[in-house]
Amino acid sequence: MKNIRREFSKIYDKNIERIYRFIYLKVNSQEVAEDLTSETFLRGWEAYKKIQNPKSKIQNKIENPRAFLYKIARNLVTDYYREKGKAQILSAENLSVPDPRINLEEKAIFDSDLNTIKTSLANLKPKYQDIIIWYY
């Protein structure tokens, strides 16, 4: 079991930033992206643990862990939007008071760059969006 944890820990370390970035660009909310990223790795761990267990009757192995995690993340984003359509959610982001310690100039530049990227991505087909997000 320790060996399985070590293996998955390496997978986590290699992919956490990419999976988070992928989800964040899809949902446009830091809190939601963090939650969905956490859920992605939780589900990934559960599946990995079952499949890698020597006593498991499941004979399939995860050939490409990164692709497996992206598939989980994509499904969670789809579920998020499906549920969001059913319920009206009030975002805490709109209700919070900005932290005066944050450098507003840097934040404005970052937000401007992010909006440019999102606008450019929105003009592409979803499968091309995914490819660009996965690459970067």
Side-chain angles (χ1 to χ4, degrees), residues 62-126:
I62 298 174
E63 297 292 327
N64 187 340
R66 181 177 293 158
F68 181 69
L69 291 170
Y70 273 119
K71 184 170 182 126
I72 294 170
R74 182 187 296 163
N75 290 340
L76 285 171
V77 168
T78 301
D79 291 346
Y80 166 75
Y81 279 113
R82 193 173 291 139
E83 288 299 317
K84 185 177 178 184
K86 293 179 183 176
Q88 182 66 26
I89 299 174
L90 180 60
S91 174
E93 291 175 353
N94 298 332
L95 302 175
S96 64
V97 176
D99 186 354
R101 296 174 289 180
I102 296 175
N103 185 336
L104 295 179
E105 182 179 350
E106 287 179 14
K107 183 173 179 358
I109 291 170
F110 177 79
D111 288 346
S112 174
D113 291 345
L114 188 59
N115 285 334
T116 302
I117 291 169
K118 287 179 183 177
T119 302
S120 299
L121 283 173
N123 294 327
L124 298 173
K125 292 180 180 179

Side-chain angles (χ1 to χ4, degrees), residues 42-59:
L42 179 63
R43 290 184 183 188
W45 165 246
E46 293 300 325
Y48 191 80
K49 191 169 52 171
K50 285 180 187 174
I51 291 172
Q52 300 297 345
N53 186 349
K55 297 177 184 176
S56 174
K57 295 180 181 179
I58 302 171
Q59 296 300 316

